[in-house]
Amino acid sequence: MTRHQHGTAAIEAMFARAKTEKRAAFLPYFCIGYPDLRESLRAIEAAAALGVDGFEIGMPFSDPIADGPTIQAATQIALDNGTTVRQCLAAVRTLREKGIHQPMLMMGYANPLVAYGADRFVRDARAAGADGLIVPDLPPEEAALFADSCAREGMALIFFLAPTSNDERIALATANATGFIYVVSLTGITGARKDLPIYLTDYIARLRAKTDMPLVLGFGISTPEHARQLRRLTDGFIVASALIRAWERGFDNMHALTGEIFAAIRDN
């Protein structure tokens, strides 16, 4: 498939396609440099060939405060491999050159991006082929750090909401976000869970009453059954730790789980 749209337009088109199929969009997470650079690109290429809707592209950082032990360990391996912000951008460029058309959201923490230069990073990310930016430790009160650059480049800037978010916080996040809202499914860090929270339906309904923005759920989603439960509840969902844990048993295990989750949301 040829890539005709970029940035927020590509993300909007992704959600529109999923909506026509009456399902949520699936965005797997892969960390550049884990378990090494070549294999991380191979994983993204393989998932793209399955037809997944988009990607959260992890940029490793030494203090990933929102991430649980599984992602922490993976990102440390990527750092030990010498993975840098510049290499992550180059990886996205390489993937685009290979014909990967799905939206890619760069996920990284503020420190290395500020050290790189916020404006410069957004500009270079757009040039490489990225469509948006997810910064877990960037509160909406500090949106200006990246907002003007993202608006200028047509890039999405994603903010988080959690079950503990009050109405004021919801209003602040939705006023500053573009592309979608990253909905944290639970209070705590990332990591695969056996069961989804029982309050999830009410939580999503509360957010939908406050905003028309697409809602993408993350944290704790780990099985095809979770995907089936979410396929009409949210606009999208992200799976991270479960894929890394499957990868620890081999590439084929990780790729199989990716395919099983994507198949689950397309089951009628």
Side-chain angles (χ1 to χ4, degrees):
M1 182 183 295
T2 303
R3 180 170 158 83
H4 297 295
Q5 294 160 309
H6 306 269
T8 53
I11 294 168
E12 290 170 2
M14 175 189 73
F15 288 122
R17 284 193 299 272
K19 187 175 181 179
T20 62
E21 298 178 12
K22 299 180 180 179
R23 62 173 179 84
F26 173 35
L27 295 88
Y29 164 95
F30 295 102
C31 177
I32 300 300
Y34 173 83
D36 57 43
L37 179 59
R38 185 183 68 85
E39 286 294 281
S40 61
L41 297 188
R42 179 188 173 206
I44 295 168
E45 288 183 73
L50 290 173
V52 302
D53 300 285
F55 294 97
E56 182 180 16
I57 304 295
M59 296 179 286
F61 178 52
S62 58
D63 297 289
I65 58 174
D67 294 313
T70 300
I71 295 179
Q72 287 182 25
T75 56
Q76 187 59 54
I77 289 170
L79 289 173
D80 291 343
N81 289 333
T83 307
T84 64
V85 170
R86 190 181 300 277
Q87 287 179 332
C88 291
L89 294 175
V92 170
R93 187 182 298 276
T94 296
L95 291 165
R96 291 303 186 205
E97 290 171 351
K98 289 175 175 287
I100 306 303
H101 67 272
Q102 287 96 331
M104 295 190 199
L105 286 298
M106 307 297 291
M107 195 287 276
Y109 289 81
N111 262 11
L113 303 186
V114 171
Y116 187 98
D119 288 346
R120 179 183 171 210
F121 174 80
V122 173
R123 183 175 63 250
D124 289 356
R126 173 66 175 80
D131 298 290
L133 180 58
I134 302 171
V135 186
D137 58 344
L138 178 72
E141 292 90 344
E142 298 177 19
L145 189 61
F146 293 98
D148 290 346
S149 299
C150 284
R152 183 175 62 249
E153 299 295 335
M155 294 260 288
L157 181 59
I158 312 304
F159 285 100
F160 290 71
L161 288 172
T164 53
S165 298
N166 59 26
D167 289 349
E168 181 181 3
R169 194 72 182 172
I170 293 170
L172 184 62
T174 56
N176 285 283
T178 52
F180 60 85
I181 292 290
Y182 195 127
V183 180
V184 178
S185 68
L186 44 81
T187 55
I189 55 177
T190 61
R193 266 77 171 182
K194 180 179 179 181
D195 299 308
L196 293 174
I198 59 174
Y199 55 75
L200 205 52
T201 299
D202 290 343
Y203 172 33
I204 295 295
R206 180 164 70 91
L207 296 182
R208 290 211 186 277
K210 302 292 184 181
T211 180
D212 293 328
M213 292 193 72
L215 303 177
V216 174
L217 194 72
F219 290 45
I221 302 163
S222 57
T223 68
E225 181 54 35
H226 290 169
R228 289 188 189 94
Q229 294 175 40
L230 296 172
R231 68 189 303 264
R232 292 188 177 90
L233 179 63
T234 65
D235 300 292
F237 62 93
I238 291 168
V239 178
S241 296
L243 295 179
I244 295 172
R245 285 173 57 181
W247 205 341
E248 292 168 353
R249 301 189 301 275
F251 183 95
D252 290 344
N253 282 282
M254 177 276 297
H255 187 56
L257 179 59
T258 305
E260 290 164 6
I261 290 172
F262 189 47
I265 59 172
R266 291 177 291 143
D267 289 344
N268 292 321

